[in-house]
Amino acid sequence: MSELPTTLHYTAEHEWLEDGAPSTVGITAQAAEALGDIVYLELPAVGSSVEAGAVVGEIESTKSVSELFSPVSGTVVEVNQAAVDDPSLVNSEPYGAGWLLKVDVTSTGPLLTAEEYAALSAG
């Protein structure tokens, strides 16, 4: 498993959140690795409202289809079109070019530190 960036927050559902205005959301390297080759992303439209803990999209790989959960509540202000066009970016750069969406956050759900996420993922 690749090194977890300590500047990010994580969820038990394997999403990450980078604080900002707007905040950036993606999936962890562990999730991308477990999914295998990602071939399709279904993400919410810009302007959509998202709720922390709610399903906001789907990630399809050669192995399975998984739901994407939002770590925050707010409004989607940007979707990573490059990742939609080339979903393999999520596999190759989950913490970089493979980010999924940006949200103007109104509240957050339960978030974990990198250390807490690593402990949860190891168990």
Side-chain angles (χ1 to χ4, degrees):
M1 185 168 72
S2 66
E3 196 68 27
L4 281 174
T6 57
T7 57
L8 302 177
H9 303 284
Y10 299 87
T11 70
E13 291 79 27
H14 309 288
E15 284 84 26
W16 58 261
L17 175 73
E18 180 178 41
D19 289 332
S23 293
T24 305
V25 176
I27 65 165
T28 64
Q30 180 181 354
E33 188 176 301
L35 285 167
D37 294 333
I38 297 171
V39 296
Y40 178 75
L41 295 172
E42 180 183 306
L43 301 174
V46 171
S48 298
S49 292
V50 295
E51 293 295 322
V55 174
V56 295
E58 287 185 346
I59 299 174
E60 184 177 331
S61 72
T62 54
K63 293 182 185 177
S64 67
V65 176
S66 296
E67 294 177 323
L68 173 67
F69 297 90
S70 180
V72 296
S73 296
T75 303
V76 176
V77 296
E78 187 177 349
V79 171
N80 186 352
Q81 192 60 48
V84 171
D85 293 342
D86 181 7
S88 69
L89 283 174
V90 178
N91 291 112
S92 63
E93 296 185 59
Y95 303 114
W99 62 272
L100 300 176
L101 47 122
K102 295 189 181 207
V103 179
D104 272 338
V105 176
T106 56
S107 65
T108 62
L111 297 173
L112 307 169
T113 65
E115 186 176 275
E116 291 167 333
Y117 176 76
L120 176 77
S121 298

